[in-house]
Amino acid sequence: MRPIQRLIHAGFATAAIASASVPALAWTVWPDVDFEWYANVGRAVAPAAEEIPAPRAGYIWAPGHWERRDAREAWVAGHWVKDDYARQVAVYGAPGRFASGASALSDREIVAAGGR
């Protein structure tokens, strides 16, 4: 057998042995990688457990959460939000309070309405 054929056969044999060993290596327990740790690298640590306060009349509790600010995430602590649902329904839920008109205005209509 010529040397080039021996090299090719050796390459195929090496590839066959390597491909046969990959499934066996995939089932090993080492290394045990903590993917959650990698996903949270660089993120500030949030409080472990947030205590939910007792209900307060006229307010809604907004629990702590992560918010995107610019190119990073920031933890926003839980806080009280004024419950103005009845007022919002009175303002926006009344018939005739929604925009009524063409979905796209022409230039003439915009100028007539005082735009530009």
Side-chain angles (χ1 to χ4, degrees):
M1 200 183 305
R2 296 192 334 219
I4 191 74
Q5 287 177 331
R6 283 188 187 157
L7 184 64
I8 292 172
H9 285 269
F12 279 131
T14 305
I17 291 171
S19 65
S21 66
V22 167
L25 293 174
W27 286 99
T28 61
V29 293
W30 185 87
D32 187 16
V33 178
D34 184 4
F35 291 104
E36 185 178 354
W37 181 85
Y38 281 104
N40 292 325
V41 167
R43 178 183 278 185
V45 179
E50 188 175 54
E51 187 176 322
I52 300 173
R56 186 185 291 183
Y59 290 88
I60 299 171
W61 176 252
H65 57 278
W66 289 100
E67 277 187 6
R68 169 126 350 240
R69 293 187 179 170
D70 297 326
R72 62 184 188 86
E73 290 184 347
W75 175 257
V76 177
H79 56 279
W80 291 102
V81 178
K82 185 163 178 60
D83 183 10
D84 63 345
Y85 178 76
R87 183 176 159 272
Q88 296 294 326
V89 169
V91 172
Y92 297 106
R97 295 292 299 202
F98 296 104
S100 58
S103 58
L105 299 174
S106 67
D107 289 340
R108 188 178 323 125
E109 292 169 330
I110 294 172
V111 172
R116 283 198 200 161

